[in-house]
Amino acid sequence: MRWRRTPERGGRLPSLGQDFTEGHRSYVRHIGPAAELWLRTKPFSAPAGRELVECLRTFAHIVDRLGLGLRDQVLDVGCGPGWLSEFLARCGYAVTGVDVSEDMVAIARRRLDGITEPVGVGIEAVGEFHAMPVLELPWKARFDAAILYDAMHHFDDEAATLEVIRRTLVPGGRIFIHEGVRPEPGSEGEQFLIDEMREYGTLESPFDAEYLVAVVRMAGFTDVARFAALDELLDVSASEEELRRVQARVQYPPMNTVVAVNPTPVEQAFAARIELGAWREAADGDLTLGVTVTNAGRCYWPNELGSTVQHGVVTLGPYVGDGGERVELPRSPLPRGLSSGESVETELRVARAELEGRKELRVDLVREGIAWFAECGSEPVVIPLPADG
């Protein structure tokens, strides 16, 4: 079942009937060169204003609440000029930004292209951007997290939007929504949004808090939690007044901040199931083995990241020996990335000389630069070697 917004529902500010998709696509051209410069440098400006403070504080909340690891896959929905994507890439996450505006996506790409130095030891910034409507997101069970920073009020069909985003998340993946609260009817805040829609043709339609929480649940998310931000210096010399102000902020947060989870039946983050074919001898004398690999964990396995540094890519890692002795053999890339539950057939090639005197070969998977799957609780497979090996 889908909820389609109507003025009678009262969950969010109604549109003016404008072609807001075209409004968003033409927004950069509409605002002019000076404002476009702001998009290329956001959130930094001179003088620093409230938006800078809001962006930096909320970014800290995102990092804290999502608890992402190196090379985790993050979807930046309605990425706009890409400031958030840039910040995320600088943290070592693998970022995918989407926006309906080709102009915004072009600015976002330039921002990431501007990161010319490694963001960590041997780690380059990784990101990709796509100009597309959010309802056309093509991915399934790929992202560890999706972030909608001040973006959801631009989307017409909020329930369908959230359903599509949930399909892109791995089991157990989380969504972080940071949104304005719907202004009181007849207020200056409401009139400001109406004027914005009239001038630019965009959709500026924020949510009542209760309605936003309800629609997130209807889209299939669980563990839905709403938060109030209190990160500021408090004047302890006026503690009673400050406590009253804090209490009011908790009761009536000025922003809608919601974190929720895509339900999961899968406990382990990185796990594999490996099925074996038969050993064959290649023309050069090497041994080859057909292997079917299944992603039995929650998380997406990327098979290509960056141009030279491959941190986070999942490869097939053969080795000989056990316990204190482990001799690693050349690893094999997977033919494609795998979402949870997907399988792929590949071939493992091992030089015969590497196996002399050995009775068995062990095969695990590796998150390059991060960990072997065995370190995450997954068991490697033990393969008996041919008698003449």
Side-chain angles (χ1 to χ4, degrees):
M1 173 183 179
R2 287 184 178 180
W3 285 358
R4 290 195 175 273
R5 175 173 49 81
T6 64
E8 292 74 24
R9 266 216 330 270
R12 56 187 293 190
L13 185 66
S15 75
L16 305 180
Q18 71 276 34
D19 182 356
F20 41 78
T21 299
E22 180 55 33
H24 290 295
R25 284 178 173 147
S26 62
Y27 179 77
V28 174
R29 297 188 295 275
H30 197 151
I31 61 177
E36 185 177 349
L37 175 62
W38 155 245
L39 293 176
R40 293 200 303 269
T41 58
K42 182 181 179 178
F44 305 106
S45 66
R50 179 69 190 175
E51 187 162 5
L52 173 62
V53 172
E54 178 75 11
C55 289
L56 296 180
R57 285 178 174 170
T58 305
F59 180 73
H61 299 156
I62 290 168
V63 172
D64 179 37
R65 281 289 164 182
L66 294 182
L68 298 167
L70 179 63
R71 284 302 184 242
D72 277 0
Q73 302 273 321
V74 183
L75 179 64
D76 186 0
V77 184
C79 66
W83 75 267
L84 180 59
S85 293
E86 179 187 352
F87 281 25
L88 292 166
R90 288 185 181 276
C91 290
Y93 309 133
V95 184
T96 298
V98 294
D99 198 283
V100 74
S101 166
E102 293 183 1
D103 295 330
M104 288 287 193
V105 164
I107 295 171
R109 286 194 182 116
R110 287 201 298 272
R111 292 182 72 130
L112 219 64
D113 289 344
I115 307 176
T116 57
E117 298 294 328
V119 296
V121 178
I123 302 170
E124 65 182 7
V126 171
E128 60 184 82
F129 296 94
H130 304 273
M132 66 174 67
V134 68
L135 293 179
E136 296 178 10
L137 297 180
W139 303 285
K140 180 180 178 183
R142 171 172 172 177
F143 299 102
D144 299 288
I147 301 169
L148 291 90
Y149 181 97
D150 202 24
M152 195 169 162
H153 63 280
H154 295 316
F155 303 135
D156 177 44
D157 192 332
E158 55 273 20
T161 296
L162 290 169
E163 289 167 5
V164 168
I165 292 170
R166 190 171 73 82
R167 285 199 296 272
T168 72
L169 292 175
V170 302
R174 281 170 288 176
I175 187 171
F176 189 108
I177 301 171
H178 184 73
E179 267 295 320
V181 176
R182 180 179 178 177
E184 289 292 326
S187 66
E188 289 185 11
E190 183 184 68
Q191 188 58 50
F192 175 81
L193 295 176
I194 291 172
D195 292 342
E196 284 273 304
M197 288 192 279
R198 285 176 177 157
E199 182 174 1
Y200 299 111
T202 54
L203 181 62
E204 311 293 339
S205 183
F207 299 81
D208 291 338
E210 294 77 10
Y211 175 72
L212 178 57
V213 169
V215 79
V216 170
R217 288 196 176 110
M218 172 162 271
F221 287 95
T222 60
D223 301 312
V224 182
R226 182 167 165 248
F227 296 88
L230 299 174
D231 48 349
E232 59 181 282
L233 294 176
L234 300 177
D235 184 358
V236 296
S237 61
S239 58
E240 291 186 7
E241 292 85 346
E242 291 286 62
L243 287 173
R244 283 195 293 269
R245 190 167 60 83
V246 167
Q247 185 177 26
R249 182 176 284 261
V250 171
Q251 290 179 327
Y252 306 104
M255 297 293 292
N256 285 320
T257 302
V258 175
V259 179
V261 176
N262 183 26
T264 175
V266 184
E267 292 298 324
Q268 209 161 313
F270 285 92
R273 185 168 66 252
I274 303 173
E275 301 167 81
L276 308 175
W279 284 106
R280 298 180 184 274
E281 185 171 351
D284 59 3
D286 285 353
L287 294 175
T288 65
L289 181 68
V291 180
T292 301
V293 183
T294 301
N295 183 343
R298 296 194 309 267
C299 295
Y300 177 76
W301 298 355
N303 71 325
E304 182 178 358
L305 288 174
S307 55
T308 57
V309 179
Q310 298 292 309
H311 277 74
V313 167
V314 174
T315 60
L316 204 58
Y319 63 94
V320 291
D322 192 14
E325 179 201 28
R326 182 165 75 177
V327 180
E328 298 180 16
L329 305 182
R331 295 172 189 161
S332 299
L334 298 178
R336 60 182 178 85
L338 291 182
S339 296
S340 178
E342 289 187 331
S343 301
V344 69
E345 294 181 0
T346 187
E347 182 181 80
L348 185 64
R349 177 179 286 262
V350 183
R352 186 181 289 274
E354 301 279 3
L355 304 177
E356 289 183 4
R358 306 286 183 176
K359 294 183 178 180
E360 60 188 25
L361 176 73
R362 294 173 182 266
V363 179
D364 197 357
L365 284 106
V366 184
R367 293 184 72 203
E368 293 293 342
I370 300 175
W372 291 71
F373 277 33
E375 297 169 12
C376 304
S378 184
E379 290 293 327
V381 65
V382 180
I383 308 172
L385 294 175
D388 61 347

